[in-house]
Structures are given as structure tokens and as C-alpha cells.
Amino acid sequence: MRTTAAFRGIRIRTLAEASRTPAATGGAHCAPWQTGPHATSPGSWSPSANATAGSSTSNTPRHDDWPDWADPDLVAAYRRIGVERPWTHQVAAARSAHAGHHTVLATGTGSGKSLAAWLPALSDVLAAQSPGADSRISAHTRRPTTLYLSPTKALAADQAAALARLIGELEAVQREAGTPAGSLSTVRAGTCDGDTPLPERDWVRAHADVVLTNPDFLHFSLLPGHERWSRLLRGLRYIVIDECHAYRGILGAHVALVLRRLLRLVARLHPR
């Protein structure tokens, strides 16, 4: 069976990222886990999945081809910032998340884990803007959305800066191809935490495809005021949990319960 989250017919992919040293992990690990009544325990994945991620045979990193579903302009943008071809662990994790699997990716620091999350998330946003996409007005208010959770504001700020650079290159690729300024496909990303000014917070609620925040803001602000976040929640497709190894013990239990509240709420808001 496909390891997808099933909450009243909706699918949300959770991609968790943890920094691990190659010596501790034996290489790159890309592990899907199952949820639901027929789920196996977290960490139950096939040896073939590890082999695909390059962890069971050799610690030597290897490249792979871009997935067929990856947006070509997004791929061109990655190439403009120096990513000619992705690593095997990036492709394995990206394919797992795009297919609807909850995925944990544990590789060394600086190994490009973020690409595994942003490639499927941003490709889905761009696909929703393609000429063959649903042209109904309601579809424009239900673009696929992504919620990124970071344990620190500094890490979220780094991700926001990297996303801004990637989105800038994405738009440059289209402009160089002759796309009119008013017809550019783009991704709207914004940071929202306790220090975000109210006007910026209002913009993020109304427009952002990718919202970068932290578990505290999710617990104290977003979930209690979920009526104002209905656009984000109705379109929620990916939850990215960065540095997931930081959530252990009592903190980990609390974050797990907050995520369960989030999924329960999204299940109720998602249109059938």
C-alpha cells in the first residue's frame, strides 16, 4: 500500500529533516513511514529504499536525474545557482514526498536536504499555475501550500533567504524565455512568527504558498486563530519539519500533539 496520511480523504506529506554525520548513519537515509490504521512503526522501510538513497552500499555520494514531474523552469533555476544534478538522496526523498509518503531524511550537514523538500513543494505550486491547470476562481484560492517548521528563527531566516534567491532565479528564467511580466509563474513565500509585523502577517495569511514558522507560533497563534488561516490550511499539501532530531523528550511529545491538532483541523477544513 502507499504510505500516505489518510485523514478523511486528504493527503498531506510530512518531510522531516535531521542532520546526521555519515559515520553515524552509514550514509544517507531516506525513510518513509506509515500512518493510519494499517501503519507500521516509524523507521520501517525496505532495504531497497536505503540502497536508492546510497546508504547500504557506499558512502560515496552519487548524482541522479531530475524527476520527470519536476517543473522545468524550477530545474533551470536550480542549475543557475549551481545545482546541475541532484544527489541520489535528494531525489529519493523528493520522490517519496511527492508520491504522498511521510519521509524522514537524515544526512550530513550541508548535504542539500532542503532541495528534497522544496523540489516537490514548489513544483506543485507551479503546476497549479500551468496552462492546463484548473482555471476556476476557486482554484486560485486553493493553490497547494507548504508549512515549514523550524526550531529556531535564525534557521527559518536562512531558509527564507535561500528560497528568495531560488524564486528570483525562477522568475529570471521565465523572463529570459520571453514570458511577459504579468504571466510569470512564481511562488509566494513568507516568514511568520511572533516578531512579524501585523501587515506582513496579513500578507502571509492572504497570499503565501510557503509559510515559514516554528512550532510555538503554530501552537499559540495559527491554530487558535485558524479561521484566519483557512486559505493556507485548505490547500496544505506539505509539512516540512527541519532539524527534526531536536524534537525529543517532553518537547518532542508536545510538538507531536501540536501536529496532530494541525492534521485534525486540516481534515475538517479540507473540501470533500
Side-chain angles (χ1 to χ4, degrees), residues 5-12 35 102 260 263-264 266-267 270:
F7 298 93
R8 299 184 186 176
I10 69 170
R11 287 178 184 162
I12 298 178
T35 61
H102 296 308
R260 290 183 185 182
L263 293 175
R264 196 163 56 239
V266 171
H270 198 279

Side-chain angles (χ1 to χ4, degrees), residues 22-231:
T25 63
H29 284 61
C30 168
W33 78 80
Q34 298 178 337
T35 61
H38 304 293
T40 55
S41 60
S44 58
W45 63 91
S46 65
S48 61
N50 277 344
T52 302
S55 63
S56 63
T57 56
S58 171
N59 287 338
T60 303
R62 296 189 300 272
H63 288 103
D64 202 345
D65 295 328
W66 294 96
D68 294 337
W69 45 259
D71 182 85
D73 289 336
L74 181 60
V75 170
Y78 269 116
R79 286 175 171 154
R80 288 170 67 104
I81 61 175
V83 184
E84 189 63 29
R85 296 180 66 201
W87 300 110
T88 53
H89 69 273
Q90 294 172 321
V91 175
R95 284 175 174 160
S96 176
H98 187 264
H101 299 268
H102 296 308
T103 305
V104 175
L105 179 59
T107 60
T109 301
S111 58
K113 291 182 289 295
S114 298
L115 183 147
W118 299 134
L119 185 64
L122 304 191
S123 290
D124 282 4
V125 174
L126 296 170
Q129 303 170 63
S130 63
D134 191 345
S135 60
R136 292 177 298 176
I137 295 177
S138 60
H140 290 281
T141 61
R142 284 203 300 269
R143 282 165 46 151
T145 58
T146 298
L147 183 65
Y148 167 91
L149 299 176
S150 165
T152 66
K153 294 180 182 179
L155 185 56
D158 289 344
Q159 285 290 333
L163 265 180
R165 180 188 177 196
L166 179 61
I167 293 169
E169 295 295 346
L170 170 68
E171 295 177 352
V173 167
Q174 297 174 75
R175 284 193 296 267
E176 292 176 5
T179 304
S183 302
L184 294 178
S185 296
T186 190
V187 178
R188 302 172 302 218
T191 300
C192 200
D193 54 42
D195 295 329
T196 304
L198 290 179
E200 292 183 24
R201 192 177 301 190
D202 291 340
W203 183 92
V204 170
R205 274 198 299 259
H207 302 292
D209 302 307
V210 178
V211 175
L212 300 98
T213 186
N214 53 69
D216 283 341
F217 184 85
L218 179 62
H219 171 61
F220 287 109
S221 183
L222 196 154
L223 290 177
H226 62 83
E227 296 90 349
R228 293 174 293 173
W229 292 89
S230 60
R231 182 200 59 85

